[in-house]
């Protein structure tokens, strides 16, 4: 980080020195001068001294709160570098909230303004998250100019750095999120590895910010337990079906769910879009929890809903006075949403999900998967909101499409396959990996039927526990390097859906190895290599 003090700090120091000079001049009038008629009594002097001391303490507290804070890393892991670039203060606010979420999950963080970032700081960081605003007609915020001049004007080697970008902007301007994309492109060009594609936020769009918060949860584990910054407005989608797809698997149980769209016909989605789920606790256990604490679960509140309806959608507070309704309501924090790739298209007649039942460290089921896999009742509504995910939408039927995924990532890829079948596309290649063919070949019969019909030109599967020559998706992709080059030369687009921490970065490294850094960058800039990771 640059040692040069900020202009604001220099201005504050200069103002304090000026005030000290003025104070000294006024004090001189009281020293040994009997002619000065306005000498205050001793009590007023003490009051002035106390007020000055309180003011100094308030200034010190404000500085302490806003100072750059570095958390200590653990082992070989350096703190995540969280960088903001803001014209109005919104990006800085989001950075502080992001840091709070990560720290709450035990992840060390250092927060910096972009003007405080230099090559040495990037060299010493392993992971970095950038929250970047665009001002004017595609310009960087004013305070970012030193970074543009000193750092972006250099050519640092950043192959050691994993990064993510949240780009803030307004679509009413001609160059939407231009600086965020400029920063993302620069990082990629200097060898840094994106953990996920840049997230665009149009005029503080709540859905995009919820997606960012979801990704923070993937990076920081427990960060996903915190309430949403902006709760979603859900619709009721009745649960039609739930099936356990992988009994006997060495991995966690995987469930296939089908939900009925709302009757008013307002729901619309396409391949690549996301379902945001509003999870709940089981109604029976929540009712028991309330009764044990002397609360009436069926009490109607001022919004017309029962107390039980409020509590099932909230974290259960640990310290609440029995029977104290005001205390309980003040302590309720809503459960955060969960995101799932949609595994169907509208023509299928239902919204389908594929999810793995997750367990926390203490063995209890995860917030979202526990609700959907264990407690949601067939025929009763699930709270759901659709989120458009334009970055992961499909391509025209005549464009070759390579779909790569692992685990429940097959969900988002399956929607694309259904869309391709209905459009008459024939040049589709699916590369999919899981644990074992006997238990974890999700939708295997359907995929093999597509292959037999010719609607799926290639189907390559890798099962890590079956002892095949290629254990993981990235291994099979590297073995098919010649075919990958051929498909790219013929204009293919690559869509990757799967795990943020494992498969996606490994596949990214293979694509760069096969096509070269410039070849991968050309695909990215052309929108022909896109990812939906979790």
């Amino acid at each position: 980080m640059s040692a040069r003090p900020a202009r604001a700090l220099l201005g504050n120091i200069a103002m304090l020195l000026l005030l000290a000079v003025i104070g000294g001049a006024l004090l001189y009038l009281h020293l040994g001068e009997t002619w000065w008629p306005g000498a205050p009594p001793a009590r007023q002097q003490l009051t002035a001294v106390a007020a000055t001391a309180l003011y100094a303490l308030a200034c010190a507290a404000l500085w302490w709160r806003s100072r750059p804070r570095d958390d200590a890393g653990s082992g070989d892991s350096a703190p995540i570098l969280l960088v903001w670039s803001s014209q109005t203060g919104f990006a800085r606010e989001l950075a502080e909230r992001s840091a709070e979420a990560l720290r709450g999950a035990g992840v060390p963080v250092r927060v910096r303004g972009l003007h405080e970032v230099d090559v040495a700081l990037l060299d010493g960081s392993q992971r970095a998250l950038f929250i970047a605003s665009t001002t004017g007609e595609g310009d960087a915020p004013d305070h970012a100019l030193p970074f543009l001049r000193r750092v972006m004007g250099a050519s640092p080697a950043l192959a050691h750095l994993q990064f993510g970008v949240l780009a803030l902007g307004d679509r009413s301007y001609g160059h939407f999120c231009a600086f965020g994309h400029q920063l993302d492109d620069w990082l990629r060009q200097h060898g840094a590895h994106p953990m996920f594609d840049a997230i665009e936020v149009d005029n503080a769009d709540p859905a995009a910010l919820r997606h960012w918060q979801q990704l923070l949860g993937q990076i920081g584990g427990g960060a996903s337990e915190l309430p949403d910054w902006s709760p979603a407005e859900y619709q009721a989608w009745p649960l039609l079906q739930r099936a356990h797809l992988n009994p006997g698997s060495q991995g966690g149980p995987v469930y296939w769910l089908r939900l009925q769209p709302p009757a008013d016909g307002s729901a619309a989605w396409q391949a690549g879009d996301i379902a945001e789920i509003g999870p709940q606790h089981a109604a029976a256990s929540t009712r028991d929890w309330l009764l044990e604490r002397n609360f009436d679960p069926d009490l109607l509140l001022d919004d017309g809903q029962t107390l039980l309806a409020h509590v099932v959608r909230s974290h259960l507070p640990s310290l609440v006075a029995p029977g104290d309704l005001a205390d309980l309501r003040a302590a309720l924090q809503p459960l955060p949403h969960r995101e799932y790739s949609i595994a169907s298209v509208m023509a299928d007649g239902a919204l389908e999900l594929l999810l793995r039942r997750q367990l926390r460290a203490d063995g209890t089921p995860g917030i979202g998967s526990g609700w959907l896999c264990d407690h949601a009742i067939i025929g009763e509504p699930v709270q759901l909101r659709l989120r458009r995910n334009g970055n992961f939408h499909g391509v025209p039927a005549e464009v070759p499409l390579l779909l790569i995924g692992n685990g429940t990532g097959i969900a988002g890829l399956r929607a694309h396959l259904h869309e391709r079948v209905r459009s008459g596309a024939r040049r589709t290649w699916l590369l999919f990996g899981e644990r074992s063919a006997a238990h974890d070949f999700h939708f295997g019969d359907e995929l093999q039927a597509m292959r037999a019909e010719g609607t799926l030109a290639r189907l390559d599967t890798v099962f890590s526990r079956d002892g095949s020559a290629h254990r993981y998706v990235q291994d099979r992709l590297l073995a098919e390097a010649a075919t990958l080059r051929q498909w790219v030369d013929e204009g293919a687009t690559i869509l990757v859906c799967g795990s943020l921490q494992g498969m996606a970065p490994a596949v990214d490294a293979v694509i760069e190895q096969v096509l070269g850094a410039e070849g991968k960058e050309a695909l990215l800039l052309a929108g022909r290599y896109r990812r939906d990771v979790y």
Side-chain angles (χ1 to χ4, degrees), residues 139-374:
D139 300 322
D142 294 341
H143 77 100
L145 296 180
F147 180 84
L148 269 69
R149 183 177 63 254
R150 297 195 308 264
V151 183
M152 293 184 74
S155 297
L158 301 177
H160 64 283
L161 184 68
Q162 292 183 304
F163 76 94
V165 172
L166 183 71
L168 309 181
D170 187 332
R171 287 193 187 277
S172 64
Y173 290 88
H175 302 281
F176 176 58
C177 291
F179 179 59
H181 286 296
Q182 179 187 356
L183 183 60
D184 184 82
D185 292 342
W186 179 83
L187 288 162
R188 292 174 188 262
Q189 289 165 6
H190 289 80
H193 302 283
M195 291 183 279
F196 43 82
D197 294 343
I199 299 171
E200 296 178 342
V201 181
D202 178 19
N203 202 19
D205 173 35
L209 294 179
R210 281 195 299 274
H211 182 47
W212 172 257
Q213 191 176 5
Q214 180 85 356
L215 288 170
L216 291 177
Q218 298 299 329
I219 295 170
S224 61
E225 302 283 315
L226 299 177
D228 290 337
W229 297 339
S230 54
E233 296 182 3
Y234 298 113
Q235 293 177 293
W237 294 60
L239 178 59
L240 300 175
Q241 176 184 346
R242 177 173 54 220
H244 182 191
L245 291 190
N246 66 337
S249 172
Q250 298 178 43
V254 170
Y255 287 83
W256 174 40
L257 287 76
R258 301 180 73 247
L259 298 104
Q260 179 180 318
D264 61 8
S266 61
W269 75 91
Q270 66 185 92
D273 286 344
I274 300 295
E276 295 183 356
I277 297 291
Q280 300 181 20
H281 300 293
S285 61
T286 307
R287 176 178 291 274
D288 292 341
W289 185 90
L290 286 167
L291 291 172
E292 289 170 2
R293 289 158 179 78
N294 298 326
F295 293 106
D296 178 7
D298 299 315
L299 176 68
L300 281 177
L301 302 181
D302 48 13
D303 60 357
Q305 298 187 45
T306 64
L307 177 61
L308 176 64
H310 278 263
V311 177
V312 295
R313 299 193 297 267
S314 305
H315 287 290
L316 300 180
S318 56
L319 298 175
V320 175
D324 189 335
L325 181 61
D327 188 22
L328 173 62
R329 297 191 67 180
L332 292 180
Q333 292 286 337
L335 293 172
H337 82 288
R338 289 295 183 261
E339 295 184 354
Y340 301 101
S341 299
I342 300 174
S344 61
V345 293
M346 291 187 63
D348 294 327
L351 185 143
E352 302 182 20
L353 303 175
L354 187 74
L355 62 146
R356 193 179 305 276
R357 185 175 180 271
Q358 302 285 354
L359 296 178
R360 300 187 182 95
D362 61 2
T364 58
I367 289 176
S369 64
W371 160 243
L372 292 173
C373 299
D374 297 346

Side-chain angles (χ1 to χ4, degrees), residues 429-452:
W429 174 13
L430 173 63
L431 177 51
F432 169 68
E434 247 287 10
R435 285 177 174 81
S436 73
H439 302 290
D440 304 296
F441 194 4
H442 313 311
F443 308 115
D445 292 342
E446 177 182 300
L447 296 175
Q448 289 172 337
M450 289 182 183
R451 180 71 183 94

